[in-house]
Amino acid sequence: MLSSDLLAGASAAARHTGLSERAIYHLVYAGHLPVVRKGRRLYFRKSELDTAFSAHTMLAA
């Protein structure tokens, strides 16, 4: 189900990836993470984060 794949906010994405919120914001700003913006809120899909980190080893460094 799509709602179980959705993460609301950088803090949720940080918990899912093991990175800091600051690192998440940096990667979003640099265009390295897939994100949907609704107003000021950021939304991430767990599946897309997992794919981004498995496909790009530079994101994990």
Side-chain angles (χ1 to χ4, degrees), residues 23-45:
I24 294 294
Y25 284 119
H26 175 75
L27 291 170
V28 166
Y29 180 75
H32 294 298
L33 287 182
V35 64
V36 174
R37 297 173 195 255
K38 184 160 181 152
R40 295 183 52 137
R41 191 75 168 172
L42 301 176
Y43 293 91
F44 302 87
R45 287 194 177 119

Side-chain angles (χ1 to χ4, degrees), residues 1 5-6 11-12 17-18 20-23 28-29 31 33-34 44 49 53 58 60:
M1 177 161 237
D5 191 42
L6 196 62
S11 61
T17 60
S20 68
E21 282 185 57
R22 187 172 183 91
V28 166
Y29 180 75
L33 287 182
F44 302 87
L49 290 176
F53 282 95
M58 66 177 237

